[in-house]
């Protein structure tokens, strides 16, 4: 029952007090930041850390309840967002909205759709510890990772007991400990491994290629089904043998050991110092290269040829340094690109003011041509979807009629087209939660696509945004040049001017003059690479 004070003021626990309580929270945080810790004793500094981390956990739990309320009221759509994930990412500025939503659904209190009464959280023991600040976000996710691995055939009462056990563990242990102790609990629940079946194996199957590191490498992790595991192990048995498919040995046989000359394999194996893991890597790389060379990927993907499509700066090619970008968003060091190009059939783009390749079709064609897609990829912002915040690579995008939709009379001209992933391309309309787009015609963003998220009528309009990615190599070169000028004075001769990307020449139908220009560029870029 709600209590009302005799003065008529609203009870401290009433929802009507929430705005004032949030203001008080800001005031308290301001005071904490200004107070600092330098005047405290060692014990007080230590105690302050415990209190702060507990408060962070409790506020996170409270914030999860706000997500539930916003979702129930359909606030994401009302504020112009397509999903609750987008609302969390852009409106609430959350770094990992997917993980936060999983955490919310596991520990927050949701209302019953029929009665409106609060339902018990999915994992009540974990939720209680989270609300009290006895566990934090990392602990919650570690527990959920363990609980997700319980076979679906396990009885409900056993799952409830396991949840309480893991919540108890989380209160007194680190996330790493939770994972290790959870493995022991899983082994106890299914000591013979007989409860997991095809449903569990299918549910857990995955293969992820992680974000590229600074050095260009990337991790790949996977949970393989027995079927895929059988195929992978057979591949490694015949392709990952010492001496086979060694990229550092020009005389190493390629393909399967069953088809190779035994003497050549034996000689190459004597020179082979790769680890077993490196052998596996090179075997998979050799297999995929064979797949590409044999054309097994098909002839076209979203209008682009199923080949390695790479763009690089002419200056970088000339100095054999820097990075090139593929249509799938991978960065490749220029020296490796030159080695790859030696055995490739390149699509060379020579940019100049006039070309025979038609890039303007007006109303003659609805879908962009291969040449237009290549020209779009070659533009400074063509590596990915043009929607702000979207990083889907050019190999997976469609060409969006950005200035005016085709159905409304839009033109299939390169100056009116922008790359857009399938999801965002279908989110363009005049409805709230969708986007309105236009091509910028002048200024520093000329040729880019501006996106505006539509709000409901009467709501403040959202600003136009552009998926503007900084040209890091160019800006770094400018900064470096400025620093060197400040130290050493201006240079007598400037650097070689950068290649300006304008239009594409398809060399398959090139004129003799165009072929001479292309040949000269290739000679200059690759002629001395050996």
């Amino acid at each position: 029952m709600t209590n009302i004070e005799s003065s008529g003021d609203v009870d401290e626990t009433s929802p009507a007090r929430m705005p004032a309580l949030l203001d008080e929270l800001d005031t308290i945080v301001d005071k904490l930041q200004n107070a600092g810790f330098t005047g405290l004793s060692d014990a007080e500094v230590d105690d302050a850390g415990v209190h702060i981390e507990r408060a962070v956990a409790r506020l996170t739990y409270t914030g999860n309840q706000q997500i539930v309320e916003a979702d129930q009221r359909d606030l994401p759509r009302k504020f112009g967002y397509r999903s609750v994930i987008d609302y969390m990412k852009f409106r609430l500025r959350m770094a990992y909205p997917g993980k936060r939503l999983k955490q919310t659904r596991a520990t927050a209190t949701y209302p019953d759709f029929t009665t409106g009464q609060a339902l018990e959280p999915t994992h009540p023991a974990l939720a209680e510890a989270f609300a009290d600040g006895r566990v934090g976000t990392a602990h919650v996710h570690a527990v959920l990772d363990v609980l997700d691995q319980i076979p679906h055939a396990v009885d409900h009462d056993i799952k409830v007991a396991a949840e309480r056990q893991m919540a108890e563990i989380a209160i007194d242990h680190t996330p790493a400990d939770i994972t290790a102790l959870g493995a022991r609990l899983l082994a106890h629940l299914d000591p013979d491994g007989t409860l997991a079946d095809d449903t569990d194996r299918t549910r857990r199957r995955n293969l992820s290629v992680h974000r590229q590191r600074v050095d260009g490498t990337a991790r790949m992790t996977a949970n393989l089904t027995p079927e895929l595991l059988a195929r992978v192990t057979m591949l490694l048995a015949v392709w990952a043998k010492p001496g086979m498919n060694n990229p550092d040995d020009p005389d190493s046989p390629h393909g399967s050991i069953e088809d190779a000359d035994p003497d050549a394999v034996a000689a190459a194996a004597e020179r082979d110092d790769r680890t077993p893991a490196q052998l596996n890597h090179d075997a998979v790389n050799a297999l995929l290269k064979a797949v590409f060379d044999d054309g097994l990927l098909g002839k076209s993907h979203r209008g682009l040829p199923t080949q390695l499509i790479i763009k690089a700066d002419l200056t970088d090619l000339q100095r054999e340094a820097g990075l090139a970008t593929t249509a799938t968003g991978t960065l490749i060091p220029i020296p490796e690109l030159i080695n790859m190009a030696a055995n490739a059939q390149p699509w060379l783009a020579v940019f100049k003011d006039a070309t025979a390749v038609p890039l303007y079709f007006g109303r003659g064609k609805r879908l962009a041509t291969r040449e237009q897609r290549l020209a779009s990829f070659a533009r400074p912002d063509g590596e990915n979807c043009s929607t702000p915040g979207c990083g889907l690579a050019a190999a997976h995008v469609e060409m969006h009629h950005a200035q005016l939709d085709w159905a409304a009379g839009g033109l299939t001209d390169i100056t009116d087209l922008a790359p857009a992933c399938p999801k965002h391309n279908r989110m363009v309309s005049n409805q709230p939660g969708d986007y309105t787009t236009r091509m910028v015609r002048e200024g520093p963003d000329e040729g880019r696509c501006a996106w505006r998220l539509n709000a409901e009528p009467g709501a403040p309009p959202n600003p136009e945004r552009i998926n503007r990615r900084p040209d890091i190599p160019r800006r770094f070169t400018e900064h470096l040049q400025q620093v060197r000028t400040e130290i050493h004075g201006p240079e007598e001769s400037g650097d070689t001017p950068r290649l300006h990307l304008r239009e594409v020449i398809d060399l398959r139908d090139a004129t003799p003059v165009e072929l001479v220009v292309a040949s000269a560029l290739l000679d200059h870029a690759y002629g001395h690479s050996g």
Side-chain angles (χ1 to χ4, degrees), residues 389-409:
C390 184
L392 195 68
H396 309 296
V397 304
E398 300 169 346
M399 295 307 293
H400 165 52
H401 289 77
Q403 187 63 26
L404 186 63
D405 190 71
W406 172 264

Side-chain angles (χ1 to χ4, degrees), residues 483-504:
V483 170
R484 287 176 173 173
T485 299
E486 293 171 357
I487 297 174
H488 305 294
E491 294 184 359
E492 295 184 2
S493 60
D495 292 336
T496 304
R498 288 170 53 90
L499 182 65
H500 295 286
L501 308 184
R502 294 290 299 276
E503 294 179 315
V504 175

